[in-house]
Amino acid sequence: DGKASDGNSFRVFLHCPGCRSNLGPSIRDTLLLRKADKYSNRAADDDMQEMDERLSASELSLKYAFTKDEDVACAIEEARNREDDFFGRGAEINAESFDGLDAVMGRSFMELCEDDGTKQLKHVQADPTLLCGLDAFMTVQEQKFITAQLISGDTSKLASATEMMHHISTLYRQGIKPSSKRRRNSILDSIKEIIREGNEARMLEAEKEALRALNDEKPQKDKSSRNVKFGYLPGSRSNRSKQVDMEMKIEYMELKKQMMYMKLHPLPLRMPKYAEVVVSKDGSMGLAFWDDTWDGTVLDAFSKIEVNQSFLGQTYLTKQHADSKGIRDVLDVGSPRPNGKGYIDTEKPRVVIVSINGSLGQQGIVKGDVVSHFNGEPYLGTARELMKLIENGYKGEVMTIAFNADSAVAEALKRRSMLTRKKKESSLSRRPRPSLARRIHTT
């Protein structure tokens, strides 16, 4: 990848001058194998200890990733196999040169994965419905990690994931996309990105070869035998219009599928948010908070908190609970009593924002959002104490507030993921199996 003088990104493809084949996958395999050979565990223990002392922290983490990460190990093995096929080495390969790679696939790999949490993350499936449209600006690893944080049921992890998403949106506004993040990541992330791009390039080449072979086998029609209409090229506009109609139909079906999924797996009405407040000493902050009480139910996450004022100017709150089959399924998946509200705690006080300024409005904060964290810590105080903390800050100080990252929303997102997993498992178990007669007939 490169960048032109006008700021536009471009990609240069390297082709063999003789056969015009794409050299990108081969170059990526060479880079990967050079890194693997450089940090391989083929030296003696004493030499290896001296070598480790000369490595930097990122190089040391990369070296031991070759014995931890299963994806990297499989990519190295496949790259070596492709290299052996190219040079025709085959059975002449020295098996001792793969001692480090064989150790990767041993029993110790699972233990190492459990130590650094990689095993748990491998089984997490990224949920784009939780990422607020930011999934296009994240790497696959970021999507999985943030999804795992959001569905963990832990309010601290929920607030951390909300803050990460805020910073990702900030990076996107600065023009930093996932393709350019690789330059700022560690060596291990660069290796994984090279592996991913190599796999995509090989898949693209395989599709081109299959399409080329299909076109070669297709019989050529006689042009003179085709009926030609006046002012109309045969097979031009009709084929394009059919293709456009098919694409629109596929897009419509995909949108309909997403709407049905959201209907059966609804998100909380109060999704977690993150905002930054800049302290001003001129008294024009325009913020106001109000004391409220949480009833201890998960249903509260599907409730809209409205801020109202009476004729006398007094502020009061009203709550409207949403109700649907999807919400009831989310509440019942983790409750011992069906058709309940999902009680998980006793009543507890909380703080709700009732007046916002333009800065918070631009960050997506609305009246009725619940204050859950202040400056990275869970907030358990009152509305007056929170306002005093903000006013006591020095001019220009940036204070962070996480909204709606409370126990109700955290439990609702956790139960929603449980419901999705439960439905998926039940659909797999309900797949029809062939009868005994059909199995005998097929055999």
Side-chain angles (χ1 to χ4, degrees):
D1 294 341
K3 181 169 288 187
S5 58
D6 57 357
N8 295 324
S9 300
F10 64 91
R11 177 170 291 182
V12 178
F13 293 94
L14 301 177
H15 297 274
C16 175
C19 62
R20 304 302 300 168
S21 61
N22 187 11
L23 299 178
S26 300
I27 294 175
R28 293 186 179 93
D29 286 346
T30 303
L31 292 175
L32 178 61
L33 293 178
R34 284 184 179 180
K35 292 290 185 181
D37 292 338
K38 180 179 179 181
Y39 302 109
S40 61
N41 299 335
R42 301 177 187 175
D45 295 338
D46 298 337
D47 298 337
M48 189 181 302
Q49 185 175 2
E50 295 179 0
M51 186 187 303
D52 292 347
E53 294 176 355
R54 294 194 299 267
L55 295 178
S56 62
S58 59
E59 292 175 336
L60 194 61
S61 62
L62 173 64
K63 173 186 173 181
Y64 288 103
F66 289 134
T67 58
K68 288 184 181 181
D69 199 303
E70 185 179 11
D71 295 333
V72 175
C74 293
I76 293 174
E77 185 178 15
E78 293 174 358
R80 291 195 188 278
N81 292 335
R82 285 190 291 268
E83 184 184 55
D84 297 334
D85 293 338
F86 179 80
F87 289 106
R89 288 196 285 257
E92 299 178 359
I93 302 175
N94 185 8
E96 295 180 357
S97 61
F98 293 94
D99 290 341
L101 185 59
D102 294 338
V104 176
M105 310 306 294
R107 187 175 298 176
S108 60
F109 165 73
M110 302 302 295
E111 300 173 357
L112 293 171
C113 283
E114 293 177 356
D115 292 339
D116 60 3
T118 308
K119 180 180 177 182
Q120 289 79 2
L121 195 59
K122 284 181 179 294
H123 298 285
V124 174
Q125 185 176 3
D127 189 354
T129 61
L130 297 175
L131 304 179
C132 303
L134 296 174
D135 53 301
F137 316 120
M138 300 181 188
T139 62
V140 177
Q141 196 74 3
E142 288 173 345
Q143 294 180 30
K144 289 185 176 182
F145 181 76
I146 292 180
T147 300
Q149 298 288 95
L150 291 173
I151 65 176
S152 63
D154 190 341
T155 56
S156 298
K157 293 182 179 180
L158 185 60
S160 300
T162 307
E163 183 177 358
M164 294 176 196
M165 295 171 63
H166 171 80
H167 292 304
I168 289 174
S169 63
T170 303
L171 290 175
Y172 170 68
R173 288 193 295 268
Q174 295 175 359
I176 302 176
K177 298 182 180 180
S179 59
S180 59
K181 285 181 183 179
R182 187 178 61 190
R183 305 187 188 97
R184 305 188 177 199
N185 286 348
S186 63
I187 305 177
L188 177 59
D189 295 333
S190 301
I191 290 293
K192 292 183 177 180
E193 195 71 16
I194 290 173
I195 295 172
R196 185 187 63 80
E197 290 182 355
N199 294 333
E200 291 179 355
R202 278 184 287 273
M203 290 178 61
L204 184 60
E205 287 297 321
E207 292 176 358
K208 289 182 179 179
E209 290 293 335
L211 184 60
R212 192 179 299 113
L214 183 63
N215 292 333
D216 293 341
E217 295 176 359
K218 188 179 297 183
Q220 298 292 333
K221 294 184 179 180
D222 187 9
K223 296 184 179 180
S224 61
S225 63
R226 292 184 296 178
N227 296 326
V228 180
K229 297 181 180 179
F230 178 74
Y232 181 80
L233 294 177
S236 58
R237 289 190 59 185
S238 61
N239 289 340
R240 284 200 298 268
S241 61
K242 289 180 181 179
Q243 183 179 1
V244 171
D245 293 341
M246 182 61 66
E247 291 177 355
M248 292 179 62
K249 185 176 180 180
I250 294 175
E251 185 177 356
Y252 171 75
M253 295 300 295
E254 186 67 24
L255 182 60
K256 187 176 180 180
K257 183 179 178 181
Q258 293 178 2
M259 293 175 62
M260 181 59 64
Y261 177 82
M262 294 299 296
K263 184 178 180 181
L264 299 177
H265 308 81
L267 289 172
L269 295 181
R270 297 187 294 104
M271 285 296 289
K273 303 174 184 178
Y274 176 89
E276 295 179 349
V277 179
V278 181
V279 178
S280 176
K281 290 298 184 180
D282 54 3
S284 60
M285 296 192 63
L287 299 179
F289 302 94
W290 198 259
D291 291 320
D292 187 38
T293 303
W294 172 47
D295 57 2
T297 65
V298 184
L299 181 62
D300 182 78
F302 299 94
S303 305
K304 182 179 180 181
I305 303 176
E306 295 184 349
V307 181
N308 305 298
Q309 284 189 347
S310 64
F311 292 104
L312 300 178
Q314 295 181 351
T315 302
Y316 65 96
L317 306 177
T318 57
K319 303 174 185 177
Q320 296 181 357
H321 300 288
D323 186 21
S324 66
K325 182 181 182 302
I327 294 177
R328 290 193 295 270
D329 290 342
V330 172
L331 297 178
D332 294 343
V333 74
S335 298
R337 186 182 65 180
N339 297 326
K341 295 183 178 181
Y343 283 94
I344 57 175
D345 206 338
T346 58
E347 292 187 355
K348 289 186 176 181
R350 63 182 178 185
V351 176
V352 176
I353 188 168
V354 296
S355 178
I356 62 175
N357 54 20
S359 176
L360 287 182
Q362 292 177 358
Q363 299 178 65
I365 309 303
V366 297
K367 297 179 181 179
D369 285 336
V370 178
V371 178
S372 57
H373 294 74
F374 181 74
N375 283 342
E377 298 294 333
Y379 184 74
L380 304 176
T382 63
R384 181 173 296 181
E385 293 172 351
L386 178 59
M387 198 65 209
K388 188 175 294 184
L389 287 173
I390 297 176
E391 292 175 348
N392 290 339
Y394 59 86
K395 185 177 181 180
E397 181 181 0
V398 178
M399 298 183 175
T400 62
I401 303 178
F403 296 89
N404 304 327
D406 50 21
S407 300
V409 177
E411 185 65 22
L413 293 176
K414 180 180 178 180
R415 295 190 180 190
R416 180 178 181 267
S417 66
M418 293 169 57
L419 177 64
T420 304
R421 186 166 57 251
K422 183 178 179 181
K423 287 185 177 180
K424 187 176 181 180
E425 293 174 354
S426 61
S427 62
L428 293 177
S429 62
R430 288 199 305 267
R431 283 186 176 179
R433 296 183 178 181
S435 61
L436 180 60
R438 178 174 296 181
R439 280 182 285 177
I440 295 174
H441 177 72
T442 54
T443 55

